């Protein structure tokens, strides 16, 4: 990393910066296959200049309760593809999420669970286990464990 001149080595933001680089460029990192191994890179303006990353982060709403998120999970770490979000928002932006479209809205099963009040496990069982349509799964009330097979 060279000579640190920013005095932020022990901050959460600097840790985020280092972890981002490690995921993308260190093939010994356990998460490399999900990032660098898939071709995810860090833009040149951030890669070797923490101060530039820091300025972007502060100008774009960073605080210690948020996490960096790539808007397009297949895109690189760069200003136009990154944002600061809650952990919950980031979890809803994962590539492996099961997304359901219903009534012109597209959400993950976890989001639909919060929207409808139907237990997440119930929705998974209805859609993946029983093969219910999105409409049936999202509009049938009650708890799965108390329903008979229809």
């Amino acid at each position: 990393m060279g000579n640190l001149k920013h005095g932020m080595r022990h901050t959460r933001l600097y840790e985020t910066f280092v972890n981002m680089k490690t995921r993308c460029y260190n093939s010994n990192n356990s998460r490399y296959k999900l990032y660098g191994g898939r071709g995810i890179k860090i833009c040149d303006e951030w890669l070797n200049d923490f101060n530039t990353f820091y300025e972007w982060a502060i100008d774009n709403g960073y605080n210690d309760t948020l996490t960096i998120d790539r808007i397009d999970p297949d895109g690189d770490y760069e200003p136009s593809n990154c944002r600061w979000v809650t952990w919950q928002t980031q979890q809803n932006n994962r590539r492996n999420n099961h997304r359901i479209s219903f009534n012109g809205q597209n959400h993950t099963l976890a989001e639909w669970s919060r929207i409808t009040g139907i237990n997440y496990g119930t929705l998974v069982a209805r859609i993946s286990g029983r093969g219910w349509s999105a409409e049936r799964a999202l509009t049938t009330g009650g708890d799965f464990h108390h329903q008979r097979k229809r």
Side-chain angles (χ1 to χ4, degrees):
M1 295 265 162
N3 187 8
L4 296 179
K5 297 179 183 176
H6 48 71
M8 301 206 46
R9 184 176 184 173
H10 299 291
T11 66
R12 186 171 178 276
L13 184 56
Y14 187 73
E15 182 179 309
T16 297
F17 177 74
V18 170
N19 288 339
M20 181 174 64
K21 289 176 72 168
T22 302
R23 288 190 300 268
C24 292
Y25 298 103
N26 181 347
S27 60
N28 294 320
N29 182 276
S30 64
R31 301 183 73 204
Y32 174 82
K33 68 181 181 198
L34 301 171
Y35 294 86
R38 293 195 312 113
I40 306 299
K41 299 181 295 303
I42 300 172
C43 67
D44 290 339
E45 70 181 286
W46 290 354
L47 184 58
N48 293 307
D49 189 350
F50 173 73
N51 289 321
T52 301
F53 176 74
Y54 172 86
E55 289 171 15
W56 171 85
I58 298 305
D59 289 346
N60 286 276
Y62 172 79
N63 72 56
D64 283 346
T65 67
L66 301 176
T67 182
I68 195 165
D69 178 58
R70 285 172 296 117
I71 298 163
D72 172 2
D74 294 321
D76 292 336
Y77 285 101
E78 59 190 10
S80 64
N81 192 44
C82 289
R83 60 187 175 176
W84 297 104
V85 298
T86 64
W87 185 248
Q88 182 178 37
T89 298
Q90 188 174 79
Q91 292 304 304
N92 285 319
N93 193 31
R94 293 173 56 129
R95 290 180 304 129
N96 63 348
N97 274 336
H98 190 159
R99 298 191 73 84
I100 301 293
S101 293
F102 176 65
N103 276 349
Q105 296 182 45
N106 187 303
H107 298 286
T108 64
L109 285 180
E111 289 171 318
W112 279 119
S113 175
R114 284 188 293 280
I115 291 166
T116 63
I118 299 170
N119 179 279
Y120 173 79
T122 299
L123 288 177
V124 170
R126 288 176 176 178
I127 292 171
S128 298
R130 293 184 169 198
W132 286 17
S133 69
E135 179 179 10
R136 183 176 180 196
L138 296 170
T139 60
T140 302
D143 189 301
F144 175 79
H145 301 292
H146 299 295
Q147 295 179 1
R148 297 179 184 270
K149 285 189 177 183
R150 296 182 187 191

